[in-house]
Amino acid sequence: AAPGARIVNVSMEGLADGSLDDVEVLLRGPLPADVFDRLLARAPRLTWVHSATAGVERVLTPSSRARGVVITNARGVFSQPIAEYVMLMILAVSRRLPQLLELQHERTWQPLEGVELRDLTVGIVGLGSMGRAVGALATAFGCRVVATRRRSEEGTAARSADLEDAAPGELRLERVLGPEGLPELLAESDFVVLAAPLTPETEGMINAETLALMKPGSWLINVARGRLVDERALVRAAREGPIGGAVLDTFREEPLPPTSPLYDLPNIIVTPHTSWSSGRVLDRSIELFCENLRRYRLGGPLLNAVDPSAGY
């Protein structure tokens, strides 16, 4: 992608195996924000950072904003496996798989009635590439789909690379609301899927007040960021209502401590931040970075450029 480039390896602690004085590009993995800021101070020529994750809260720091560093992310790389994970959980809950497995463990023969997906409303909070992928699969299964998003996509310059940006199939949305439509979405959705980025506006958006607005018996699915959810309020809502339960793949503290009450509730499904994982992800991630590296070398526009004002 960039013949003749010099590669410097940097550890998670920020230790580099070479000089950073002339480094222009950083391919960033799960590097902590404080380590990133220290690297930034040691790399005066750094102009572009590609985050191998979709979330950029650890790289969109005050220091990188002040420097005007261009940031791109992995939007679209993980959308397909995450959408499949969401549909797995919607199917499992609707067809009562947890209860059936419990009955099997008890050696009890007790048929249970399920719910057909065409009778369900799926509400998607955040209509980026991940939200669109979830919506396309939900549409294919016959679900009614409503969504909220921060802004129209019209006029945005940095579309994701053509790396399976959305799930195969047609995306049909019954309604798309602005952020002010969240209470409406919560009140009518059988499954609420969090697919929004973490920003000052979205942090803690699912709290005691918004949980109280959810449709009785509905489920929350979080495949975005743990800090979107007030976990204490969620535990209370799962125990006392109105929600039927929750599927959580991301948490405020990771790994989730063994002492967390989230492990103990029978109507909360906990998975270890694995919804994004598949055998294809690494190939797509490398393909996206190399395509952007080619564009950078030639002075072209980069894919997946992050809008610092929006935070994603």
Side-chain angles (χ1 to χ4, degrees), residues 1 79 110 183 208 306:
S79 300
Q110 182 184 337
V306 170

Side-chain angles (χ1 to χ4, degrees), residues 4-20:
R6 185 174 71 89
I7 298 175
V8 180
N9 295 301
V10 180
S11 73
M12 286 288 289
E13 296 75 27
L15 302 175
D17 66 359
S19 171
L20 299 176

Side-chain angles (χ1 to χ4, degrees), residues 46-301:
L46 184 64
T47 57
W48 165 42
V49 177
H50 180 77
S51 174
T53 62
V56 293
E57 62 271 11
R58 294 180 183 177
V59 67
L60 197 58
T61 65
S63 297
S64 68
R65 289 174 184 266
R67 276 267 294 270
V69 175
V70 174
I71 298 169
T72 58
N73 70 355
R75 186 172 63 248
V77 168
F78 311 106
S79 300
Q80 179 68 16
I82 289 176
E84 292 176 2
Y85 171 97
V86 169
M87 293 312 302
L88 162 72
M89 294 302 177
I90 291 176
L91 283 163
V93 171
S94 301
R95 302 306 305 177
R96 305 183 69 177
L97 179 60
Q99 295 93 326
L100 290 170
L101 292 174
E102 184 177 348
L103 289 171
Q104 177 186 346
H105 180 71
E106 296 173 353
R107 298 176 180 267
T108 301
W109 185 273
Q110 182 184 337
L112 301 177
E113 184 179 274
V115 178
E116 294 186 20
L117 267 62
R118 62 180 175 177
D119 294 327
L120 297 176
T121 296
V122 175
I124 301 172
V125 181
L127 204 55
S129 64
M130 187 165 67
R132 292 195 304 272
V134 171
L137 281 186
T139 296
F141 276 94
C143 299
R144 173 176 172 263
V145 182
V146 296
T148 62
R149 67 180 175 192
R150 178 180 178 270
R151 61 183 179 180
S152 169
E153 293 175 347
E154 295 178 4
T156 55
R159 280 298 309 276
S160 297
D162 294 327
L163 300 170
E164 302 179 37
D165 183 46
E170 182 182 358
L171 171 59
R172 293 193 301 274
L173 300 171
E174 180 172 294
R175 209 158 65 258
V176 179
L177 308 166
E180 72 285 350
L182 179 62
E184 184 179 340
L185 179 146
L186 297 176
E188 63 185 86
S189 298
D190 298 288
F191 290 88
V192 174
V193 181
L194 299 184
L198 177 62
T199 67
E201 292 74 28
T202 62
E203 183 166 5
M205 67 189 306
I206 302 299
N207 50 44
E209 181 181 350
T210 49
L211 285 164
L213 300 175
M214 289 182 65
K215 181 178 180 179
S218 61
W219 280 63
L220 178 74
I221 301 178
N222 188 8
V223 288
R225 283 291 184 265
R227 284 160 56 192
L228 300 181
V229 178
D230 180 337
E231 292 176 356
R232 290 184 179 181
L234 179 63
V235 168
R236 287 195 299 272
R239 285 174 174 161
E240 303 169 11
I243 69 172
V247 176
L248 305 174
D249 188 54
T250 181
F251 307 88
R252 285 180 171 266
E253 181 182 353
E254 295 185 4
L256 186 66
T259 55
S260 171
L262 294 170
Y263 283 118
D264 301 324
L265 296 176
N267 58 341
I268 290 187
I269 298 173
V270 169
T271 58
H273 207 144
T274 191
S275 61
W276 60 271
S277 179
S278 85
R280 292 176 176 260
V281 161
L282 183 59
D283 288 344
R284 284 199 295 267
S285 183
I286 293 172
E287 182 183 340
L288 172 58
F289 174 69
C290 288
E291 172 59 27
N292 261 349
L293 189 57
R294 281 188 285 269
R295 289 169 176 246
Y296 177 84
R297 182 171 59 89
L298 297 173

